[in-house]
Amino acid sequence: MDRMISGIAASPGFAVGEAHLLHRGEILVEERKLEPDEVEAEVRRFESSLEKAREEIEALQEKITNTMGEEGARIFGVHQMILHDPMVVEATKEGIRQSLRNAGAVFDEIMGGMRDTLSEAADEYLAQRSLDIEDVRRRVLMQLAPGGRLLLRDLRRPVVVVAEELTPSETAHLDPEKVLAFVTEAGGRTSHAAIMARSLGVPAVAGVSRITERVRTGSLIAVDGTSGQVAVNPDEYMIKFFESQKAIFAELERELLKLKNLPAVTLDGREVELSANIEFPEGVESALNYGARGIGLLRTEYLYLGCEELPSEDKQYSDYLKMVEQVAPDSVIIRTFDLGGDKVGVVPATPLERNPFLGWRAIRVSLAHPKVFMNQLRAILRTSAHGPVKLIFPMISGLEELMQAKEILNQAKESLSREGMPFDEDLPVGIMMEIPAACAMADILAAEADFLSIGTNDLIQYSLAVDRGNAQVAYLYQELHPAILRQVKMVIDAGHRHGKWVGMCGEMSANPLATMILIGMGLDELSMSPELLPEIKKVIRSCTHAEAKACADDALNQNTVEGVTGVARRYTEGKLGELVTDVGEGAAVYPPLLQTTEEEKEDA
Ligand code: PEP
Ligand code: MG
């Protein structure tokens, strides 16, 4: 057996099966000189290929809307835009006429150039757009020269799809019956392929270095999307292990769902609020299905990322209202736009930056665009008249930003009052604690906010200097780092000293190894992707608060990640049944299994 390879856990679940390798650049584009009298016919052939590609995308949009809702289909709206873009369409026609070359060669040159420029962008969102360009390139070239790369819909038997990267439409062609799992070299938890894999329930591991060189089509491959591990050519022992994990995972999911309507309460009666993070309206249903008590984070910017411009106050109001009404009597924490970083696109135009995560992002963008900010605040305030709403500001780094944001909120309130529009005068205002500077002055910020919610996704990247989307340094992205625990503790204590509620909406809240530590430290709420809620509820319902407190104290006394992990494992053991509790641990997880002795193998 080859060794285990660590990647990024992009979609939970286990699979063992035959690999199917999708190579990049399989479409061979021939280059041909045209006679002058062939030129116009070639332009028409190009136009008709575009038309067929548009029709294919339309059909795909319809299929995806029916199966996954509007959001999944929105990605293909971008593809349609590319197919209508004069920089693509007119430039290709012009190129055919000027260079007297065939459509495939000219089109390939233009699209390939765009793709390569975008893929080199430091900004993850822009880099992801290169996948859309590549997708459209392939689609049109397939029309111009049929017989290119095998699409996922053509798969004959269930396989594990292995690729450098997957484009949105390749993923969308997926028949969950035929794809056991995805393994990709590129991408992360936020890539389109990962989002789609999660919503379809297909396990996926991203960021697996050189995986396309390590497997061949037909090789056996075992995938653990729960902790982000892949085993190439697993031996019999490993296959058995994965198969058993798969069965346990499925059983556990069924078992866990039985907890849906039970409270997240410790054995000694301490209740913890469990709520869901959502990005799209469909998320509400998922949150309710998995037993969420409200929405702990509505990432509003996702609602409008595919739009050409940010919507009006009225449109935002009606979007928020629908969700709030569905979730009532539980509350929805609405976050103001966190644009910038890896989420650029809609107005206000975000400039290209060398370090977008350290740049013009979130509250900084909102404060620089008071009109956009005001629109959103008014929409949120108006929503608050109809159900329990809380407001949260992202990326607060100091008191000035918070005070400026609150000042604009006051202006929004005054304007609504002047117009006689109702809103909740006492709308709770919270801060995302996701910048180390904010954590360092948590006591000061806590005095000015109604609640705090710890955003570990960013807090970890900023504290440990590890880009959250960079597969190369993913092994350093450690939730159980003592520096993170200390900051979390500091924020909880500061909040509580001021009588404020403290929650967590970063991914760490969905790490079962962290649960006892977090509730032991006194966290009031944990908010996460809906499908992960039952697992965390299970841990909470399996321990006493006293035990969790001892676990937290022990963990805070550790000097190393290894030390904290050891403590977390010891206390969490047995709380989730037999499933290995590996989330967020990266490479630290599997070595003990690989070191299994011959005797143990025989016993197994
Ligand atoms: C976070 O940073 O932890 C968070 C929840 O916000 P986002 O993932 O949207 O940056
Ligand atoms: Mg964040």
Side-chain angles (χ1 to χ4, degrees):
M1 187 189 102
D2 301 350
R3 66 185 187 84
M4 295 287 297
I5 311 166
S6 289
I8 297 163
S11 177
F14 294 81
V16 179
E18 221 179 86
H20 184 93
L21 203 56
L22 289 180
H23 288 289
R24 220 175 192 227
E26 266 176 29
I27 302 170
L28 288 176
V29 183
E30 55 151 17
E31 182 159 339
R32 196 162 51 85
K33 264 283 176 212
L34 301 174
E35 294 301 327
D37 62 356
E38 287 179 297
V39 168
E40 283 319 306
E42 186 65 0
V43 169
R44 281 196 298 280
R45 201 168 75 82
F46 172 61
E47 282 172 336
S48 115
S49 299
L50 285 182
E51 205 37 56
K52 285 191 198 131
R54 287 176 192 134
E55 283 165 14
E56 265 193 6
I57 293 176
E58 240 166 55
L60 205 51
Q61 273 177 309
E62 204 179 305
K63 178 186 151 200
I64 301 296
T65 308
N66 292 338
T67 53
M68 291 170 58
E70 301 246 316
E71 183 47 38
R74 194 176 288 168
I75 293 158
F76 297 101
V78 175
H79 293 196
Q80 291 285 23
M81 275 161 55
I82 297 170
L83 282 174
H84 285 94
D85 188 339
M87 296 224 320
V88 172
V89 180
E90 294 314 317
T92 304
K93 289 190 204 168
E94 185 72 359
I96 298 169
R97 291 184 177 118
Q98 299 271 324
S99 67
L100 298 182
R101 284 182 306 148
N102 59 316
V106 176
F107 181 74
D108 185 43
E109 200 169 272
I110 291 173
M111 296 296 276
M114 283 186 182
R115 176 200 62 209
D116 294 345
T117 309
L118 281 176
S119 69
E120 278 160 25
D123 179 284
E124 203 204 319
Y125 182 81
L126 279 184
Q128 292 290 339
R129 297 286 69 75
S130 72
L131 287 185
D132 295 312
I133 298 281
E134 171 65 6
D135 206 322
V136 173
R137 184 187 77 92
R138 281 168 184 281
R139 193 175 293 286
V140 174
L141 288 178
M142 294 273 220
Q143 294 299 336
L144 287 166
R149 173 166 156 169
L150 180 77
L151 288 174
L152 299 186
R153 65 174 165 225
D154 302 327
L155 293 171
R156 298 227 163 74
R157 55 178 180 274
V159 290
V160 173
V161 173
V162 179
E164 280 175 34
E165 59 189 8
L166 285 167
T167 64
S169 76
E170 280 169 335
T171 322
H173 274 297
L174 147 81
D175 171 359
E177 302 280 304
K178 299 270 182 57
V179 179
L180 301 170
F182 288 118
V183 181
T184 56
E185 291 183 0
R189 273 174 216 248
T190 56
S191 64
H192 284 132
I195 292 170
M196 291 205 185
R198 278 201 293 274
S199 51
L200 290 162
V202 174
V205 181
V208 184
S209 165
R210 299 195 295 108
I211 189 67
T212 57
E213 295 166 31
R214 299 180 196 207
V215 295
R216 305 216 180 302
T217 290
S219 311
L220 202 59
I221 183 165
V223 181
D224 167 2
T226 304
S227 67
Q229 308 280 328
V230 172
V232 178
N233 298 321
D235 59 18
E236 230 173 272
Y237 170 73
M238 201 46 132
I239 295 172
K240 259 200 212 150
F241 173 77
F242 267 82
E243 293 292 1
S244 69
Q245 291 297 299
K246 193 171 145 189
I248 293 167
F249 184 77
E251 179 55 28
L252 191 82
E253 283 234 298
R254 272 192 298 277
E255 278 301 307
L256 288 174
L257 264 178
K258 292 184 188 159
L259 304 177
K260 178 183 155 181
N261 296 319
L262 298 175
V265 62
T266 59
L267 293 169
D268 50 356
R270 172 81 68 110
E271 186 152 5
V272 182
E273 274 178 59
L274 280 191
S275 45
N277 295 347
I278 63 167
E279 291 78 30
F280 306 116
E282 300 78 37
V284 172
E285 201 183 320
S286 176
L288 299 177
N289 282 343
Y290 283 99
R293 293 279 310 276
I295 302 301
L297 177 65
L298 168 59
R299 292 176 161 110
T300 53
E301 67 282 357
Y302 276 86
L303 295 171
Y304 310 119
L305 268 187
C307 305
E308 280 177 33
E309 54 182 34
L310 288 171
S312 65
E313 174 190 318
D314 282 350
K315 167 81 173 105
Q316 291 185 51
Y317 164 63
S318 87
D319 288 344
Y320 304 149
L321 185 58
K322 270 186 232 141
M323 291 187 249
V324 167
E325 282 175 340
Q326 266 179 287
V327 175
D330 292 322
S331 62
V332 178
I333 300 182
I334 305 182
R335 178 173 78 183
T336 58
F337 295 133
D338 184 353
L339 291 164
D342 57 349
K343 288 167 281 189
V344 294
V346 277
V347 284
T350 323
L352 275 184
E353 296 176 285
R354 273 182 195 278
N355 287 308
F357 276 118
L358 297 179
W360 203 52
R361 190 187 156 191
I363 197 69
R364 301 168 187 182
V365 176
S366 294
L367 290 174
H369 286 273
K371 201 164 157 354
V372 170
F373 197 28
M374 178 68 93
N375 266 350
Q376 184 174 32
L377 292 174
R378 281 175 54 102
I380 296 170
L381 281 164
R382 285 169 61 191
T383 312
S384 72
H386 306 281
V389 170
K390 293 177 187 152
L391 169 70
I392 194 160
F393 295 125
M395 294 274 296
I396 294 290
S397 65
L399 192 58
E400 291 86 348
E401 271 168 343
L402 177 62
M403 299 320 277
Q404 281 172 43
K406 283 177 75 168
E407 172 56 32
I408 299 180
L409 179 65
N410 279 338
Q411 290 168 17
K413 285 182 175 178
E414 280 162 19
S415 68
L416 288 174
S417 296
R418 274 196 304 276
E419 293 163 34
M421 297 240 214
F423 60 88
D424 175 6
E425 300 270 359
D426 300 316
L427 173 77
V429 177
I431 311 173
M432 296 274 301
M433 300 298 280
E434 52 186 347
I435 297 183
C439 296
M441 52 191 299
D443 52 337
I444 293 165
L445 293 174
E448 293 297 333
D450 297 314
F451 68 96
L452 307 173
S453 185
I454 307 172
T456 50
N457 301 343
D458 279 313
L459 183 59
I460 294 170
Q461 82 163 345
Y462 295 136
S463 300
L464 305 181
V466 176
D467 181 338
R468 63 194 259 193
N470 184 340
Q472 189 124 20
V473 286
Y475 70 101
L476 289 171
Y477 191 93
Q478 292 156 322
E479 291 170 344
L480 299 184
H481 194 295
I484 302 303
L485 297 197
R486 283 163 187 237
Q487 290 183 83
V488 169
K489 178 83 168 91
M490 214 156 72
V491 172
I492 297 172
D493 289 349
H496 287 175
R497 267 199 307 278
H498 286 275
K500 307 292 166 70
W501 172 100
V502 185
M504 176 179 284
C505 56
E507 288 291 314
M508 185 175 178
S509 62
N511 180 350
L513 274 186
T515 309
M516 288 182 71
I517 300 176
L518 297 176
I519 61 173
M521 284 182 186
L523 210 58
D524 302 298
E525 178 243 28
L526 294 167
S527 188
M528 64 202 76
S529 295
E531 66 276 14
L532 303 169
L533 284 163
E535 197 173 344
I536 300 305
K537 191 188 276 184
K538 169 91 175 164
V539 177
I540 295 172
R541 291 179 61 85
S542 307
C543 66
T544 61
H545 189 261
E547 238 184 309
K549 171 94 176 51
C551 173
D553 290 346
D554 226 352
L556 281 164
N557 271 327
Q558 301 300 315
N559 300 337
T560 59
V561 179
E562 202 185 342
V564 176
T565 308
V567 168
R569 282 185 173 282
R570 193 148 44 78
Y571 280 88
T572 313
E573 203 175 348
K575 302 281 191 286
L576 268 177
E578 291 170 61
L579 191 78
V580 185
T581 54
D582 295 333
V583 181
E585 289 301 290
V589 177
Y590 269 83
L593 285 167
L594 289 178
Q595 288 157 15
T596 308
T597 61
E598 288 309 309
E599 297 91 271
E600 282 173 318
K601 284 188 188 182
E602 274 164 29
D603 287 343

